[in-house]
Amino acid sequence: MAALRLAWRRWAPRTPHLRLCLCRAGSTARSPSVPERIQEKRRAALLGGGQSRIDAQHQRGKLTARERVLLLLDPDSFVEYDMFVEHRCSDFGMEADKNKYPGDSVVTGQGRINGRLAYVFSQDFTVFGGSLSGAHAQKICKIMDQAAMVGAPVIGLNDSGGARIQEGVESLAGYADIFLRNVLCSGVVPQISLIMGPCAGGAVYSPALTDFTFMVKDTSYLFITGPDVVKSVTNEDVTQEQLGGSKTHTAVSGVAHKAFENDIDALLNLRDFFNYLPLSNRDPAPVRECHDPSNRLVPELDTIVPMESTKAYDMLDIIHAIVDEREFFEIMPSYARNIVVGFARMNGRTIGIVGNQPKVASGCLDINSSVKGARFVRFCDAFNIPLITFVDVPGFLPGTAQEYGGIIRHGAKLLFAFAEATVPKITIITRKAYGGAYDVMSSKHLRGDVNYAWPTAEVAVMGAKGAVQIIFRGKGAHAEAEYIDKFANPFPAAIRGFVDDLIQPATTRLRICRDLEVLASKVQANPWKKHANIPL
Amino acid sequence: MDKILPLQVHVKMADEAVCVGPAPTSKSYLNMDAIMEVIKKTRAQAVHPGYGFLSENKEFARRLELDGITFIGPDTHAIQAMGDKIESKLLAKNAKVNTIPGFDGVVKDADEAVRIAREIGYPVMIKASAGGGGKGMRIAWDDEETREGFRFSSQEAASSFGDDRLLIEKFIDNPRHIEIQVLGDKHGNALWLNERECSIQRRNQKVVEEAPSTFLDPETRRAMGEQAVALAKAVKYSSAGTVEFLVDSKKNFYFLEMNTRLQVEHPVTECITGLDLVQEMIRVAKGYPLRHKQADIPINGWAVECRVYAEDPYKSFGLPSIGKLSQYREPLDVPNVRVDSGIQQGSDISIYYDPMISKLVTYGSNRAEALQRMEEALDNYIIRGVTHNIALLREVIIHPRFVQGDISTKFLPEVYPDGFKGHKLTDLEKRELLATAASLYVSCFVSQQVEVDGTKLNVTSEWNLASPLLPVTVDGTPRTMQCLSRDAAGNISIQFLGTVYKLRILTQLAAELSKYMPEKVEEDTTSILRSPMPGAVVAVSVKPGDMVSEGQEICVIEAMKMQNSLIAAKTGKVKIVHCKAGETVGEGDLLVELE
């Protein structure tokens, strides 16, 4: 591989490292001076659990807590807190000097990501397996408190064996202290968890409370109880990977939002993801310099929706074609794939996109897709990110599995989320908008600011065949054509003002960019309340 | 036969468009009843059959004739005479056209094929009597290959032409494929419009064509032209047609076949002669006499045509791929470029038709200029969403042998004996690429200095990340690269000199730490057989439990009307067969697993 050196000046002003002051106080056999002890402690802290454990960490294909922080943050921007904190446990021989590590099992501090402030904690697996002591929890709480105060996101890099068993209830208390702050910070500053090793037992609830949970493929696990306990309790044979690996959580459980190949990939992607987020709920969505003309026409959209309404197409094609530079950071790409959610930019400004995916299960709404969509919409609303919704939905998925699972309750979440959202909301109906699902998908009735329909749109209670069967009890085959003529088009919605305009698909980007400009000054408030009662 | 919305290019361009049927060609473009119906409905007076499909179908021409509709092409007699390889050869012989030694008759079975092949002497070519375009054509070097070739060719011939008759002739090793464009009218006149050099082929299908040929001297050109015209006159040929010749290294030429239609590569002839062949075809079909004399036909400059295909050139010089053209822009802003295509951004390249995206033609006052423009045009051609063969085209046109004109129909296998592997970067090109990629990763200053392995380079660009084209100047050399993708993890793929390079740009820290990242295990691909392309399974030759030896045929996939035999990569026992005959499969679909 060729070595590259760049004139590297992209990053924001450097925050200098704390400079070490090396003062030698004579060479007689005295106990070390304070400056010497400081230096020694710092050196020890930098080594974490020692070279052999660092090597073992590398052998597992994982980076150390400090390497991760350095990769995540801009060069020379990391400011570390609490390097001298040590655990306070005096049981089971823990009080011995050899069992004390400066900084204990977590590295905390703040720094910059592309020049923007972020607080970060990185659990150190080389120190007691990254286990959570009272001191460890206290360090995390300290940065969370400050992050909430100054208004900057918190990023957690999780790699921990769980509670510090030697500390007993103090460790549990530590978890709860973190949970409380996760909850209090929720909707105040973005919170992101990146699982980079084990995360088991009570520890899982902190990532679960954060806004986004990402995982590293093959080296990270999330579960309430590990395979051994599962075996002894339920007699079920399961591997770590099957029980709580990245595949399980990104595709089956929906606990994690995305998985990355390895530590480096994950951290670099996290930097990219961070660029989309505002720093806090008081911050507007960030705007980046944009080379992609906001008035760019997208001619291929004119032909993207197939003539046959039964034929699928890929909603991602529409999204990629419309957004700036085809860049779309998809959230939960492998879970509930019948709905697509993620971040992109329009004319440089971050937006959240929600779209039905006709390619998967016809883009219907079911329990999983409703919950996935609802959580995303609420994040965007909490952090001032405008919502763009692309609608091609044949309705809610029928059947006992869905009804028994509570589709009514879960579908209501998406409805609730769209209805309460006060950020700019722009909706484009590309094809089907049938039944209750039409209402749910950011319709005009739920305070959609600008609602468009493409010429291919059909806004109706249901498809023509079913409708005619109900209206004429099976006797009106001739009426199907009439129904199609009446309802399988965008006019019924347009003449009532339920869509603001019927637009040529090629102009969609231009229209959205223009509307976002106008809606940037939108002010809308919900009635005063302690908090709403979303149907959980 | 409904009215259709003008969404496709060919429909948009037409004044009136009628749908002749669904995508499978047997139900639309090959469906004579449907087409006759449309002719009646629209009261068309004449039909231009284009190329492929029914363009050389005498039955179609006859039906038009019966209904009093003009077929813009030769009359049925000429189509029939030239469409049959055996008859055309006899006609050529009688018209004193040089022909290849071979067996003048239909081969009955594999045994007879072997006997005849031995008589003529190996190597021999087995081909479909009704064939064309490389379909149903196999070369055999020994008895075994003759038997195998006989089987394949007759199957392919049956499926492509509905006629499994085969013939065998001497195979001329290392020949050039040079063809003469002829144009005749209904008054007994015929002209030759110079030659086209079509030697760059893969699997007997043309890839790069040019006019004129670097190989012909004026005497040979005239001799070939005159023989071609003699043949045309012998069959009273009254349209544009092409007489194909094989030319050996001593400039001996042999009649191969005559195509009684417009050729795909006709634009290069139009470029150097200034004639609009389609217009001339329409004129003579109407009954007008030719407006040119032989002496009026010039050779003005040089023209090159590259067939831009939706194919993966890294798999046997081109296996079809399909997909949607997510981004597509033809390099029409490069001067002296002509692009003939029927697709646009958003179009689908489907399994139903030939996977050709376009014909990219450049011309100039001499060959070097035409080739220089072709390089530029290929660099500026934006195709996303489907795999394409631009890498191969660009390598061919800059290859020293091609540039010198030292080519034959064996060019590709000779130049790339282990298959096409893409452009091999020189040290300088490598530095340019790395410097550009690194600058792109940072992309904040218009001009940046990059140090690559100790050499400093100045990289200047606008860095418009929204544009698929990446024009850069590296140390004063202007280059047009294309950034195909880049992600947050520093993975960048750049198309440079036609070939796509995958690069990873990391900060020094990330690069140092990369050594700790686990290597992901790739699946062992020798024990599984995946479909290399989308298509239909024609036959599965094995069942679970069978022992197969390395190289043995496992199944046959038909895609784009080509039958492809898939073979075992190792010797072993068949574990699971995932496909059955008649199924359609996608690229990468698992077909058969070995133990």
Side-chain angles (χ1 to χ4, degrees), chain A residues 3 218 261 265 272 291 300, chain B residues 345 451 453 464 488 504 520:
Chain A
D218 303 325
E261 282 308 315
D265 236 51
D272 180 51
H291 297 283
E300 71 264 32
Chain B
Q345 186 153 313
E451 191 182 311
D453 288 338
N464 179 354
R504 182 137 199 222
K520 306 275 164 164

Side-chain angles (χ1 to χ4, degrees), chain B residues 159-172:
Chain B
S159 80
S160 293
F161 316 111
D163 177 352
D164 64 357
R165 290 179 305 146
L166 297 179
L167 56 102
I168 295 182
E169 65 187 20
K170 171 103 183 148
F171 173 63
I172 295 172

Side-chain angles (χ1 to χ4, degrees), chain A residues 111-296:
Chain A
R112 304 273 164 174
I113 296 179
N114 293 321
R116 298 165 75 232
L117 182 64
Y119 283 81
V120 58
F121 70 83
S122 177
Q123 295 179 317
D124 189 347
F125 197 78
T126 65
V127 178
F128 298 117
S131 63
L132 188 124
S133 63
H136 177 137
Q138 187 192 330
K139 284 181 71 172
I140 294 176
C141 290
K142 189 191 266 183
I143 61 147
M144 290 180 80
D145 289 340
Q146 203 175 75
M149 210 155 57
V150 304
V154 179
I155 299 173
L157 308 180
N158 298 67
D159 189 2
S160 162
R164 181 86 47 92
I165 296 169
Q166 294 91 331
E167 292 198 7
V169 73
E170 183 156 355
S171 175
L172 297 184
Y175 276 124
D177 290 341
I178 297 171
F179 298 158
L180 175 69
R181 280 163 181 81
N182 283 139
V183 173
L184 295 180
C185 285
S186 183
V188 178
V189 293
Q191 301 180 77
I192 307 161
S193 303
L194 175 55
I195 316 299
M196 310 188 81
C199 182
V204 299
Y205 283 108
S206 176
L209 291 167
T210 61
D211 298 302
F212 296 99
T213 303
F214 300 119
M215 295 181 79
V216 178
K217 286 180 189 169
D218 303 325
T219 46
S220 72
Y221 308 100
L222 268 168
F223 35 64
I224 297 281
T225 48
D228 298 342
V229 180
V230 170
K231 173 77 181 162
S232 68
V233 175
T234 67
N235 209 24
E236 195 181 357
D237 264 319
V238 66
T239 64
Q240 274 197 4
E241 184 63 38
Q242 288 165 338
L243 187 61
S246 63
K247 234 186 213 152
T248 302
H249 288 311
T250 54
V252 182
S253 73
V255 165
H257 295 86
K258 207 166 191 160
F260 303 106
E261 282 308 315
N262 56 44
D263 279 14
I264 292 178
D265 236 51
L267 292 162
L268 294 177
N269 271 290
L270 194 50
R271 284 177 61 86
D272 180 51
F273 175 66
F274 189 83
N275 294 342
Y276 288 99
L277 306 181
L279 296 181
S280 76
N281 59 355
R282 296 187 297 265
D283 234 32
V287 180
R288 197 174 77 167
E289 187 195 358
C290 174
H291 297 283
D292 205 349
S294 63
N295 60 358
R296 172 169 59 88

Side-chain angles (χ1 to χ4, degrees), chain B residues 396-473:
Chain B
V396 168
I397 60 155
I398 62 165
H399 195 277
R401 270 189 60 184
F402 181 85
V403 172
Q404 285 159 23
D406 172 21
I407 53 175
S408 75
T409 52
K410 289 280 180 52
F411 180 84
L412 290 178
E414 274 175 14
V415 172
Y416 310 106
D418 305 320
F420 180 61
K421 301 270 190 277
H423 179 73
K424 185 141 178 32
L425 291 173
T426 62
D427 286 347
L428 176 66
E429 288 165 351
K430 193 173 174 184
R431 281 199 295 275
E432 289 178 348
L433 176 64
L434 287 169
T436 305
S439 302
L440 176 68
Y441 184 67
V442 186
S443 67
C444 57
F445 297 100
V446 168
S447 190
Q448 301 176 88
Q449 194 178 65
V450 186
E451 191 182 311
V452 182
D453 288 338
T455 312
K456 287 196 172 74
L457 293 99
N458 279 306
V459 184
T460 307
S461 170
E462 293 294 322
W463 307 118
N464 179 354
L465 302 182
S467 163
L469 287 183
L470 187 65
V472 293
T473 306

Side-chain angles (χ1 to χ4, degrees), chain B residues 57-63 65 74-81:
Chain B
N57 188 302
K58 57 178 189 282
E59 170 65 13
F60 181 59
R62 195 186 56 78
R63 282 182 70 169
E65 209 177 338
D75 61 22
T76 38
H77 164 70
I79 299 177
Q80 170 151 16

Side-chain angles (χ1 to χ4, degrees), chain A residues 1-10 58 60-63 67 70-71 217-219 261-265 268-269 272 291-293 300 302-304 307 317 325-327, chain B residues 5 7 324 326-327 344-346 434 438-439 441-442 444-445 449-453 462-466 486 488-489 491 504-507 509-510 513-514 516-518 520:
Chain A
M1 188 193 274
L4 288 171
R5 276 233 312 273
L6 294 167
W8 201 274
R9 275 171 288 174
R10 179 180 199 165
H58 285 157
R60 286 185 207 104
K62 304 198 295 183
L63 298 180
E67 287 164 347
L70 292 180
L71 268 181
K217 286 180 189 169
D218 303 325
T219 46
E261 282 308 315
N262 56 44
D263 279 14
I264 292 178
D265 236 51
L268 294 177
N269 271 290
D272 180 51
H291 297 283
D292 205 349
E300 71 264 32
D302 288 340
T303 56
I304 207 160
M307 311 277 261
D317 287 341
E325 295 170 12
R326 305 183 70 82
E327 279 187 349
Chain B
L5 287 175
L7 298 178
K324 191 188 260 297
S326 58
Q327 282 178 289
Q344 60 191 350
Q345 186 153 313
L434 287 169
S439 302
Y441 184 67
V442 186
C444 57
F445 297 100
Q449 194 178 65
V450 186
E451 191 182 311
V452 182
D453 288 338
E462 293 294 322
W463 307 118
N464 179 354
L465 302 182
R486 68 202 153 82
N491 296 302
R504 182 137 199 222
I505 306 294
L506 293 171
T507 61
L509 175 67
L513 294 175
S514 284
Y516 301 123
M517 293 300 99
K520 306 275 164 164

Side-chain angles (χ1 to χ4, degrees), chain B residues 215-496:
Chain B
F215 190 59
L216 295 194
D217 48 53
E219 292 74 50
T220 317
R221 176 174 299 125
R222 183 175 317 111
M224 288 171 75
E226 280 166 0
Q227 287 199 8
V229 164
L231 179 62
K233 285 186 171 164
V235 291
K236 297 195 174 62
Y237 198 85
S238 59
S239 186
T242 297
V243 182
E244 295 188 346
F245 291 98
L246 288 182
V247 184
D248 71 15
S249 50
K250 297 180 191 72
K251 295 197 175 124
N252 296 313
F253 56 92
Y254 304 97
F255 170 71
L256 193 60
E257 61 178 339
M258 179 168 187
N259 292 315
T260 56
R261 56 170 160 88
L262 194 65
Q263 293 279 93
V264 171
E265 59 274 22
H266 75 274
V268 290
T269 298
E270 296 187 335
C271 286
I272 62 158
T273 60
L275 265 69
D276 180 334
L277 286 177
V278 177
Q279 190 193 6
E280 298 303 326
M281 284 174 83
I282 296 170
R283 282 189 82 254
V284 295
K286 174 76 180 165
Y288 293 127
L290 293 176
R291 356 176 222 189
H292 303 88
K293 299 267 170 295
Q294 189 62 51
D296 301 338
I297 306 301
I299 297 183
N300 286 332
W302 213 283
V304 183
E305 175 181 281
C306 282
R307 294 195 189 187
V308 182
Y309 276 107
E311 324 182 299
D312 183 351
Y314 299 98
K315 297 180 191 164
S316 10
F317 302 115
L319 284 190
S321 75
I322 54 168
K324 191 188 260 297
L325 289 163
S326 58
Q327 282 178 289
Y328 181 76
R329 203 168 78 207
E330 292 164 357
L332 294 170
D333 40 358
V334 178
N336 290 359
V337 167
R338 163 175 171 175
V339 186
D340 287 14
S341 71
I343 44 109
Q344 60 191 350
Q345 186 153 313
S347 291
D348 272 316
I349 305 288
S350 73
I351 60 164
Y352 298 111
Y353 310 107
D354 189 85
M356 187 153 72
I357 296 174
S358 77
K359 300 185 280 180
L360 176 62
V361 184
T362 59
Y363 50 100
S365 55
N366 54 48
R367 188 166 187 258
E369 199 179 306
L371 289 177
Q372 174 57 39
R373 288 203 174 115
M374 183 58 82
E375 277 183 49
E376 224 178 300
L378 288 169
D379 284 343
N380 282 279
Y381 206 141
I382 299 164
I383 304 170
R384 303 278 194 281
V386 296
T387 312
H388 55 75
N389 67 338
I390 283 189
L392 175 68
L393 296 172
R394 206 186 182 291
E395 273 308 280
V396 168
I397 60 155
I398 62 165
H399 195 277
R401 270 189 60 184
F402 181 85
V403 172
Q404 285 159 23
D406 172 21
I407 53 175
S408 75
T409 52
K410 289 280 180 52
F411 180 84
L412 290 178
E414 274 175 14
V415 172
Y416 310 106
D418 305 320
F420 180 61
K421 301 270 190 277
H423 179 73
K424 185 141 178 32
L425 291 173
T426 62
D427 286 347
L428 176 66
E429 288 165 351
K430 193 173 174 184
R431 281 199 295 275
E432 289 178 348
L433 176 64
L434 287 169
T436 305
S439 302
L440 176 68
Y441 184 67
V442 186
S443 67
C444 57
F445 297 100
V446 168
S447 190
Q448 301 176 88
Q449 194 178 65
V450 186
E451 191 182 311
V452 182
D453 288 338
T455 312
K456 287 196 172 74
L457 293 99
N458 279 306
V459 184
T460 307
S461 170
E462 293 294 322
W463 307 118
N464 179 354
L465 302 182
S467 163
L469 287 183
L470 187 65
V472 293
T473 306
V474 188
D475 277 352
T477 313
R479 295 287 198 184
T480 302
M481 305 195 191
Q482 298 191 23
C483 175
L484 303 187
S485 68
R486 68 202 153 82
D487 69 15
N491 296 302
I492 296 183
S493 40
I494 288 183
Q495 184 180 318
F496 178 39

